Amino acid sequence: MFNDRSTPLSLLSTRRSARPREMVAPGPSDAELRDILTIASRTPDHGKLAPWRFVTVGADRRDRFNEILQDAFRIDRGRPDADDVSAIEQFAHQAPCLVVVLYSPQESAKIPEWEQELSAGAACFNLLAAAHAHGYVGGWITGWAAYSDAVRDHFGEAPERIAGFIYLGSPGVELQERPRPEYDDVVSEWRGT
């Protein structure tokens, strides 16, 4: 299923995202998910503010999640057509496991909000890496729902924002490697000029 994950470097070099719509059971057990989220919390966090939090959406709550998304679409974008309704329903029900990651900025005189946002992004990545280490695939999705206050209000309150919907499961199809940037295109040496 995966390349060797026996060392930290091979784990990091083989992690890749999967499409949530292609994920199948099994997903993480309750104990595995607890471990994944505990690891996700071990992220760079200047000032120890924990400016993020995780909300799990169980399989028994996916129908309600779909209702929330359908209602929010109407509020944000107007009457959905049949394709919108179908896409929203798929979004709500895809993959065995769903974690909503909230960016929860903390008031701080010392830690800028930008650093807190970076910490939330790092927590999302740690979640994906921990899922991979447990033998699962993950997909970090945003889209219109992540920017909808009507959706956010069911998980948190302003000034919180949805950092992403992270879906976890097993791959239903063989994962394809995507193009990666060329080393020289993204790495340079500063010469002090």
Side-chain angles (χ1 to χ4, degrees):
M1 178 184 333
F2 295 104
N3 293 329
D4 176 32
R5 292 186 313 268
S6 61
T7 69
L9 291 179
S10 62
L11 172 74
L12 292 172
S13 68
T14 60
R15 196 222 61 82
R16 57 186 157 201
S17 296
R19 291 183 180 101
R21 68 179 176 268
E22 295 173 347
M23 292 179 197
V24 297
S29 67
D30 290 344
E32 289 171 319
L33 184 57
R34 182 180 181 88
D35 190 50
I36 288 167
L37 295 174
T38 299
I39 292 168
S41 298
R42 295 181 59 87
T43 193
D45 176 15
H46 187 192
K48 302 177 193 82
L49 300 176
W52 30 259
R53 61 189 185 87
F54 310 110
V55 179
T56 61
V57 181
D60 62 334
R61 303 306 302 156
R62 296 296 189 93
D63 288 341
R64 177 65 184 130
F65 182 48
N66 178 51
E67 292 170 3
I68 289 166
L69 292 172
Q70 299 287 350
D71 291 344
F73 189 95
R74 286 183 195 89
I75 292 167
D76 294 346
R77 297 182 160 202
R79 185 178 175 92
D81 63 24
D83 289 341
D84 294 327
V85 170
S86 178
I88 293 166
E89 186 168 351
Q90 180 185 30
F91 187 88
H93 290 95
Q94 60 193 354
C97 180
L98 170 58
V99 179
V100 180
V101 181
L102 291 166
Y103 164 56
S104 302
Q106 306 297 312
E107 208 163 306
S108 171
K110 295 182 179 181
I111 313 304
E113 189 171 322
W114 171 240
E115 289 187 33
Q116 296 183 50
E117 288 181 44
L118 293 171
S119 182
C124 290
F125 177 76
N126 264 7
L127 197 162
L128 292 170
H132 180 59
H134 277 80
Y136 299 104
V137 293
W140 178 357
I141 306 296
T142 54
W144 72 268
Y147 301 100
S148 168
D149 289 344
V151 174
R152 187 271 327 277
D153 289 348
H154 288 276
F155 295 95
E157 58 187 42
E160 288 184 307
R161 296 193 312 251
I162 295 174
F165 301 95
I166 299 189
Y167 293 89
L168 305 174
S170 296
V173 299
E174 184 176 340
L175 297 181
Q176 301 297 313
E177 186 61 56
R178 71 169 180 81
R180 305 290 177 177
E182 293 294 326
Y183 181 88
D184 290 334
D185 291 342
V186 296
V187 178
S188 62
E189 181 180 347
W190 184 66
R191 303 228 180 244
T193 58

